Amino acid sequence: MKFTGGTPRGILIPFILGVICLVLCSCSLFESKIRVPVAKKIDIPVQQEPQVCNQPYCSTNLDFPLSLVSKPMIYVNKAERRLWLIQDQVLVRDYHVGLGPSPRGDKYFRGDGRTPEGEYFICSKNGSSQYYKSLGINYPNPKQAECGLTSGAITYSDYCQIVRANDAQKMPPSNTALGGLIMIHGGGCHMDWTLGCVAVENSAMDELFQVVKIGTPVYIVP
């Protein structure tokens, strides 16, 4: 056989096909030995937003056992004539109340007939009160005593007595110009008949007296 120049076509084509097969097989073999790690699904815990309430409680359970009320809070809404007993942001009791004869506005002086507003705490418990049972509220508190001293309504001696009583969680003196002896007591809530106290039905007073302790916070709002 005589070659006239170049590579015979009968040899070149099989050669090229062989090279292509060799390359493809090498790639397949190479890829089979490489294991690409598969990303595992990670469950990221979703952080819940804190519960925000536009009122002093976030839920209601009026059947909540009183025996389980360990951290009570009292919230008095003067406009709605309601007293709410709250445990851990849960409204557990809702009572109708009666107030003083001049219920609108904060209390400023003795004999104004107004129920005070602000932040207080229970400073006394009386199981044989003139009006069934009573829970004393620490009015006037040190902030009100300071305002009274600044305005000249009370003396420095009056101011010191009020502050000392509050520090000891006792009933502040009531014989100053600011008044005092503000209670949550029984006797009924059919009308605004008190001298500035918060009145409830005797049955409600029984429940409050059972769970409320000295130091229980009390919030009174307009």
Side-chain angles (χ1 to χ4, degrees):
M1 181 176 179
K2 184 178 181 181
F3 298 99
T4 59
T7 304
R9 182 176 296 179
I11 297 176
L12 182 59
I13 292 176
F15 175 77
I16 293 174
L17 292 175
V19 171
I20 292 174
C21 290
L22 181 61
V23 172
L24 291 176
C25 292
S26 299
C27 290
S28 300
L29 181 62
F30 179 72
E31 289 175 355
S32 64
K33 293 182 179 180
I34 298 177
R35 297 183 179 274
V36 179
V38 179
K40 295 183 179 180
K41 183 180 179 181
I42 301 176
D43 294 328
I44 301 176
V46 178
Q47 294 183 351
Q48 295 183 348
E49 293 293 331
Q51 200 169 15
V52 179
C53 304
N54 294 323
Q55 51 189 359
Y57 57 89
C58 297
S59 60
T60 301
N61 183 3
L62 299 181
D63 295 322
F64 192 89
L66 287 175
S67 59
L68 299 181
V69 176
S70 58
K71 295 183 293 183
M73 181 188 84
I74 293 174
Y75 192 97
V76 178
N77 187 313
K78 291 171 60 176
E80 297 185 19
R81 302 296 194 277
R82 310 304 299 181
L83 185 153
W84 296 326
L85 180 65
I86 299 169
Q87 162 80 13
D88 292 333
Q89 293 188 311
V90 178
L91 175 63
V92 297
R93 294 295 185 275
D94 182 0
Y95 307 116
H96 185 64
V97 302
L99 304 174
S102 300
R104 297 185 63 180
D106 198 0
K107 184 174 185 63
Y108 293 108
F109 56 89
R110 182 172 52 190
D112 61 7
R114 292 177 175 174
T115 301
E117 300 168 1
E119 298 182 12
Y120 303 96
F121 59 81
I122 296 300
C123 61
S124 71
K125 294 182 68 173
N126 186 353
S128 57
S129 170
Q130 179 181 357
Y131 299 106
Y132 190 56
K133 297 176 181 178
S134 67
L135 300 168
I137 298 174
N138 66 314
Y139 171 88
N141 59 27
K143 181 179 179 180
Q144 290 157 331
E146 184 176 352
C147 291
L149 179 63
T150 302
S151 66
I154 62 173
T155 66
Y156 182 70
S157 176
D158 294 334
Y159 168 80
C160 292
Q161 291 182 56
I162 293 172
V163 171
R164 283 197 295 268
N166 275 272
D167 289 344
Q169 291 190 324
K170 296 183 179 298
M171 182 70 76
S174 60
N175 59 349
T176 73
L178 300 179
L181 290 179
I182 302 299
M183 310 279 184
I184 300 172
H185 60 65
C189 55
H190 53 286
M191 59 183 294
D192 293 329
W193 60 275
T194 75
L195 297 179
C197 296
V198 178
V200 297
E201 296 295 336
N202 290 349
S203 57
M205 199 63 230
D206 284 334
E207 293 187 338
L208 290 171
F209 206 84
Q210 177 182 337
V211 299
V212 171
K213 310 175 184 66
I214 300 295
T216 294
V218 178
Y219 300 88
I220 306 176
V221 300

